Structure formats: structure tokens, C-alpha cells
Amino acid sequence: MRKITLMLALPLLLGGCGDPSSSARSAQSRDGNTVGVEVTDAWCRATPNGARTGACYASFRAVGANDRLVSVNSSAATAAEVHDMEERDGMMRMTPLPQGLPLAEGRTVELKPGATHIMLTGLTSPLQTGEQAPMILTFESGRTLELLVPVRAGADG
Ligand SMILES: [Cu+2]
């Protein structure tokens, strides 16, 4: 099986050239404590040759309380879902997470190629390197985050 490189998503936020919109934080103060979800290193993989589906990745960290990513919407696609990957009979298969993506307080949950991802289906146009895909993330807590997610080529092209 092909080895999957896991360290793809890191360079986005470095230095002054990082795109700040790939990172966002939904936070509010409650009893003097910050509660919210931090999203960092968001990116979508560029789609080749008119593919109608795409995948996006990001790191999530719930701050101050547990939360759950319950839905994703993007005007770049007719539908967006959180998918997990599992191996069955030697094949990697994608399975939607009907309960959403649980976010345990203080723990970073990393979406990455070959693992959990946000799947965009029915792309309205190809995801091209250098563009940004708008995305609205809704959490169980009722908080929402709007992101402009940069599109770039995957390292395995
Ligand atoms: Cu998928």
C-alpha cells in the first residue's frame, strides 16, 4: 500500500505569507473563560480534470468545553459532509459521520489526507490552486465559523 505523507498541512500559517482566513476561532467568554473552537491549517485539495468531488482538511480544537462539528456548507458544492476512512477487506472506504465530528475539549482533531476529511460533492467548478473555497462550519454548541479555505495541490499530486 502506498505510504501516505501526513505532514502536508503545516506550512499554511507560517510567517507573514500565511493566509489568515485559513484559520479561525469561534470563541465567547463564559464566566470569564473562553469557550469556542479553533480551526487551523484549513486547505482544500485542488481537483484534477473536472472531478466533481473534492476533499478539504483542517485541524480543530475545542476550547473550554466539548463540542461537535455537525454540519458543513459550501457554496462551492451542492453538499459537504465529514467522512471517516476505514479499512475493510483490505480496501479503504469512506464512511460519513452521521453524528458529526466529536471534539473533545483541549484535544486537537486533525483532518488529513488518507484519514478524516470534509468531502465536497457536486462541485460547482473545479477547485483550482490559488482559489479559496468558502465554507461555513456549524457546531453542536450553535456556534458557526465562516472560512475562506485556500486551495492547493496535494503533495501526492
Ligand atoms: Cu469522502
Side-chain angles (χ1 to χ4, degrees):
M1 192 175 141
R2 192 172 50 156
K3 187 160 162 278
I4 295 166
T5 304
L6 297 180
M7 300 303 287
L8 298 174
L10 296 178
L12 274 176
L13 297 177
L14 297 179
C17 58
D19 183 344
S21 63
S22 68
S23 171
R25 178 174 184 156
S26 148
Q28 67 189 45
S29 204
R30 192 176 68 186
D31 303 331
N33 296 315
T34 300
V35 177
V37 176
E38 294 172 347
V39 180
T40 53
D41 299 332
W43 66 286
C44 292
R45 183 196 294 273
T47 56
N49 307 324
R52 299 299 312 281
T53 61
C56 303
Y57 311 96
S59 291
F60 293 85
R61 194 167 77 93
V63 179
N66 294 341
D67 209 337
R68 183 183 295 266
L69 175 64
V70 290
S71 73
V72 182
N73 287 286
S74 175
S75 58
T78 47
E81 291 187 314
V82 182
H83 283 180
D84 212 349
M85 298 281 275
E86 65 177 17
E87 189 172 341
R88 205 186 302 152
D89 304 327
M91 295 270 292
M92 293 302 288
R93 293 168 196 275
M94 297 193 293
T95 53
L97 293 176
Q99 312 298 320
L101 180 69
L103 302 171
E105 195 271 321
R107 204 177 136 248
T108 299
V109 176
E110 190 183 354
L111 277 54
K112 57 196 173 190
T116 311
H117 56 276
I118 294 169
M119 190 99 202
L120 301 180
T121 55
L123 288 173
T124 52
S125 62
L127 297 175
Q128 294 186 334
T129 302
E131 293 181 348
Q132 295 181 317
M135 215 168 279
I136 301 173
L137 309 174
T138 303
F139 298 92
E140 190 176 57
S141 59
R143 283 182 272 273
T144 60
L145 274 179
E146 293 188 31
L147 289 173
L148 286 173
V149 180
V151 177
R152 57 189 182 84
D156 58 359

